[in-house]
Amino acid sequence: HPLVQEDIDVFQQYADFVSVALERLDNYAEMKYLAYHDSLTGMANRASLNLWLEQELGKTRQGQAGGGLFFIDLDELKIVNDTFGHSLGDDMILAAGNNIRRVVGADAFCARIGGDEFIVVLPGITAREMIAEQARQLVQALSSDYVIAGEKIPMSASLGIVCYPADGTTVDEIMKNADRAMYAAKACGRNCWRHYEPCLHTE
Protein backbone atom coordinates (compact mmCIF):
# COMPACT_ATOMS: atom_id res chain seq x y z
CA HIS A 1 0.00 0.00 0.00
CA PRO A 2 1.22 3.52 -0.64
CA LEU A 3 3.24 5.18 2.13
CA VAL A 4 1.40 7.72 4.20
CA GLN A 5 3.06 10.68 5.88
CA GLU A 6 3.03 8.87 9.21
CA ASP A 7 5.09 6.01 7.72
CA ILE A 8 7.53 8.49 6.18
CA ASP A 9 7.95 10.24 9.53
CA VAL A 10 8.72 6.92 11.25
CA PHE A 11 11.35 6.06 8.63
CA GLN A 12 12.87 9.52 8.96
CA GLN A 13 13.08 9.19 12.74
CA TYR A 14 14.71 5.77 12.38
CA ALA A 15 17.22 7.14 9.85
CA ASP A 16 18.03 10.06 12.17
CA PHE A 17 18.54 7.65 15.08
CA VAL A 18 20.89 5.45 13.04
CA SER A 19 22.81 8.52 11.84
CA VAL A 20 23.29 9.80 15.41
CA ALA A 21 24.34 6.34 16.63
CA LEU A 22 26.94 6.00 13.85
CA GLU A 23 28.26 9.49 14.53
CA ARG A 24 28.66 8.66 18.22
CA LEU A 25 30.52 5.46 17.33
CA ASP A 26 32.86 7.43 15.05
CA ASN A 27 33.44 10.03 17.78
CA TYR A 28 34.12 7.31 20.36
CA ALA A 29 36.60 5.57 18.04
CA GLU A 30 38.36 8.88 17.36
CA MET A 31 38.51 9.76 21.07
CA LYS A 32 39.87 6.31 21.90
CA TYR A 33 42.52 6.64 19.17
CA LEU A 34 43.58 10.10 20.38
CA ALA A 35 43.77 8.85 23.98
CA TYR A 36 46.37 6.22 23.08
CA HIS A 37 48.30 7.73 20.17
CA ASP A 38 50.68 10.62 19.65
CA SER A 39 48.96 13.22 17.47
CA LEU A 40 52.14 14.17 15.56
CA THR A 41 53.66 10.81 14.63
CA GLY A 42 50.68 8.45 15.00
CA MET A 43 52.84 6.28 17.28
CA ALA A 44 51.57 4.97 20.58
CA ASN A 45 51.77 7.51 23.42
CA ARG A 46 52.85 7.11 27.06
CA ALA A 47 49.41 5.87 28.21
CA SER A 48 49.39 3.20 25.50
CA LEU A 49 52.99 2.21 26.32
CA ASN A 50 52.20 1.79 30.02
CA LEU A 51 49.24 -0.50 29.27
CA TRP A 52 51.22 -2.52 26.75
CA LEU A 53 54.19 -2.93 29.11
CA GLU A 54 51.89 -4.05 31.93
CA GLN A 55 50.61 -6.81 29.64
CA GLU A 56 54.16 -7.77 28.63
CA LEU A 57 55.29 -8.00 32.26
CA GLY A 58 52.23 -10.11 33.02
CA LYS A 59 53.43 -12.57 30.39
CA THR A 60 56.90 -12.74 31.92
CA ARG A 61 55.37 -13.53 35.32
CA GLN A 62 53.68 -16.50 33.65
CA GLY A 63 57.03 -17.78 32.41
CA GLN A 64 57.12 -16.27 28.92
CA ALA A 65 60.27 -14.63 27.57
CA GLY A 66 60.92 -10.97 28.26
CA GLY A 67 62.48 -8.57 25.80
CA GLY A 68 64.55 -5.46 25.27
CA LEU A 69 63.52 -1.82 25.61
CA PHE A 70 65.21 1.24 24.13
CA PHE A 71 64.85 4.76 25.50
CA ILE A 72 65.79 7.08 22.60
CA ASP A 73 66.44 10.80 22.97
CA LEU A 74 67.26 13.04 20.00
CA ASP A 75 70.37 15.01 20.85
CA GLU A 76 69.95 18.29 19.00
CA LEU A 77 66.20 18.92 18.89
CA LYS A 78 66.22 21.82 21.38
CA ILE A 79 68.84 23.60 19.26
CA VAL A 80 66.75 23.01 16.13
CA ASN A 81 63.60 24.36 17.83
CA ASP A 82 65.45 27.43 19.16
CA THR A 83 67.18 28.13 15.84
CA PHE A 84 64.63 27.20 13.19
CA GLY A 85 61.33 27.05 15.09
CA HIS A 86 59.07 24.28 16.34
CA SER A 87 57.56 23.60 12.91
CA LEU A 88 60.93 22.42 11.63
CA GLY A 89 61.46 20.57 14.90
CA ASP A 90 58.19 18.70 14.32
CA ASP A 91 59.39 17.74 10.85
CA MET A 92 62.54 16.29 12.40
CA ILE A 93 60.52 14.33 14.97
CA LEU A 94 58.42 12.89 12.14
CA ALA A 95 61.52 11.95 10.16
CA ALA A 96 63.12 10.36 13.22
CA GLY A 97 59.94 8.42 14.00
CA ASN A 98 59.82 7.09 10.44
CA ASN A 99 63.48 6.04 10.67
CA ILE A 100 62.84 4.23 13.95
CA ARG A 101 59.89 2.28 12.53
CA ARG A 102 61.84 1.43 9.39
CA VAL A 103 64.77 -0.01 11.36
CA VAL A 104 62.90 -2.02 14.01
CA GLY A 105 60.11 -3.36 11.80
CA ALA A 106 56.48 -4.23 12.45
CA ASP A 107 57.09 -6.66 15.34
CA ALA A 108 58.47 -3.94 17.62
CA PHE A 109 56.29 -1.67 19.75
CA CYS A 110 57.12 2.01 19.12
CA ALA A 111 55.97 4.98 21.17
CA ARG A 112 56.68 8.68 21.41
CA ILE A 113 56.45 9.70 25.08
CA GLY A 114 57.71 13.27 24.98
CA GLY A 115 59.00 16.04 22.76
CA ASP A 116 62.11 14.23 21.51
CA GLU A 117 61.79 10.96 23.43
CA PHE A 118 60.87 7.63 21.87
CA ILE A 119 60.52 4.12 23.29
CA VAL A 120 61.03 0.93 21.30
CA VAL A 121 60.22 -2.47 22.78
CA LEU A 122 61.46 -5.71 21.22
CA PRO A 123 59.21 -8.41 22.73
CA GLY A 124 60.64 -11.90 22.92
CA ILE A 125 64.21 -10.84 22.10
CA THR A 126 66.42 -11.50 25.12
CA ALA A 127 69.88 -12.11 23.60
CA ARG A 128 72.02 -9.08 24.49
CA GLU A 129 73.95 -9.40 21.22
CA MET A 130 70.77 -9.10 19.13
CA ILE A 131 69.52 -6.19 21.22
CA ALA A 132 72.88 -4.43 20.94
CA GLU A 133 72.92 -4.90 17.16
CA GLN A 134 69.46 -3.37 16.89
CA ALA A 135 70.62 -0.45 19.05
CA ARG A 136 73.63 0.06 16.78
CA GLN A 137 71.40 0.17 13.71
CA LEU A 138 69.06 2.66 15.36
CA VAL A 139 71.84 5.02 16.42
CA GLN A 140 73.33 4.81 12.92
CA ALA A 141 69.96 5.48 11.24
CA LEU A 142 69.22 8.46 13.47
CA SER A 143 72.70 9.96 13.16
CA SER A 144 72.67 11.69 9.80
CA ASP A 145 72.03 15.00 8.08
CA TYR A 146 68.32 15.64 7.70
CA VAL A 147 67.27 17.77 4.75
CA ILE A 148 64.10 19.54 5.86
CA ALA A 149 62.58 22.60 4.17
CA GLY A 150 65.79 23.04 2.21
CA GLU A 151 67.92 23.09 5.36
CA LYS A 152 70.63 20.48 6.01
CA ILE A 153 70.53 19.73 9.73
CA PRO A 154 72.78 17.22 11.54
CA MET A 155 71.00 14.94 13.97
CA SER A 156 72.05 12.21 16.38
CA ALA A 157 70.47 10.23 19.19
CA SER A 158 71.40 8.77 22.56
CA LEU A 159 69.93 5.41 23.45
CA GLY A 160 69.53 3.56 26.75
CA ILE A 161 68.85 -0.17 26.88
CA VAL A 162 67.11 -2.30 29.49
CA CYS A 163 66.27 -5.99 29.32
CA TYR A 164 63.07 -6.99 31.08
CA PRO A 165 62.42 -8.58 33.49
CA ALA A 166 66.15 -8.69 34.40
CA ASP A 167 66.44 -4.89 34.67
CA GLY A 168 62.99 -4.24 36.09
CA THR A 169 59.79 -6.01 37.04
CA THR A 170 57.45 -3.00 37.02
CA VAL A 171 56.74 -0.40 34.34
CA ASP A 172 58.06 2.37 36.59
CA GLU A 173 61.30 0.51 37.34
CA ILE A 174 61.91 -0.33 33.69
CA MET A 175 61.33 3.24 32.53
CA LYS A 176 63.53 4.77 35.23
CA ASN A 177 66.39 2.37 34.48
CA ALA A 178 66.05 2.95 30.73
CA ASP A 179 66.17 6.70 31.39
CA ARG A 180 69.34 6.27 33.48
CA ALA A 181 70.97 4.27 30.70
CA MET A 182 70.03 6.92 28.12
CA TYR A 183 71.61 9.69 30.22
CA ALA A 184 74.68 7.52 30.63
CA ALA A 185 74.90 7.38 26.82
CA LYS A 186 74.66 11.18 26.69
CA ALA A 187 77.43 11.42 29.29
CA CYS A 188 79.58 9.20 27.06
CA GLY A 189 79.46 11.85 24.33
CA ARG A 190 76.01 11.29 22.78
CA ASN A 191 75.38 9.57 19.44
CA CYS A 192 75.78 6.19 21.15
CA TRP A 193 73.99 3.61 23.28
CA ARG A 194 74.54 2.11 26.70
CA HIS A 195 73.09 -0.84 28.59
CA TYR A 196 71.58 -0.25 32.02
CA GLU A 197 73.82 -1.32 34.89
CA PRO A 198 73.05 -1.16 38.63
CA CYS A 199 76.07 1.11 39.15
CA LEU A 200 74.21 3.87 37.26
CA HIS A 201 72.14 4.45 40.42
CA THR A 202 75.19 5.70 42.28
CA GLU A 203 76.57 7.54 39.25
Side-chain angles (χ1 to χ4, degrees), residues 51-201:
L51 285 174
W52 194 87
L53 272 179
E54 286 285 4
Q55 293 176 346
E56 273 296 294
L57 291 173
K59 292 176 186 177
T60 65
R61 286 189 284 270
Q62 293 170 3
Q64 293 188 34
L69 181 144
F70 302 146
F71 194 125
I72 304 166
D73 184 272
L74 304 181
D75 292 326
E76 286 87 12
L77 190 69
K78 186 179 185 306
I79 297 171
V80 171
N81 283 334
D82 292 346
T83 307
F84 299 103
H86 284 270
S87 178
L88 204 65
D90 285 350
D91 288 342
M92 293 202 71
I93 289 170
L94 274 170
N98 289 335
N99 274 340
I100 289 169
R101 282 185 281 217
R102 175 179 57 80
V103 170
V104 298
D107 292 336
F109 183 92
C110 301
R112 177 185 174 221
I113 61 167
D116 58 355
E117 295 175 340
F118 297 87
I119 299 291
V120 171
V121 190
L122 305 174
I125 299 178
T126 55
R128 285 173 72 93
E129 300 80 13
M130 291 178 66
I131 293 170
E133 174 57 23
Q134 191 81 90
R136 185 193 66 76
Q137 291 179 22
L138 273 170
V139 168
Q140 184 178 38
L142 292 169
S143 303
S144 59
D145 288 343
Y146 286 43
V147 180
I148 297 174
E151 299 284 352
K152 198 173 186 179
I153 304 168
M155 176 58 69
S156 65
S158 299
L159 192 153
I161 304 173
V162 293
C163 297
Y164 65 90
D167 297 328
T169 55
T170 67
V171 172
D172 188 54
E173 192 178 11
I174 287 170
M175 294 299 292
K176 282 181 178 176
N177 290 341
D179 188 57
R180 290 184 177 105
M182 183 273 292
Y183 276 105
K186 282 191 181 292
C188 287
R190 304 185 172 195
N191 191 24
C192 64
W193 53 269
R194 186 165 173 186
H195 275 283
Y196 166 77
E197 300 169 35
C199 65
L200 294 179
H201 286 273

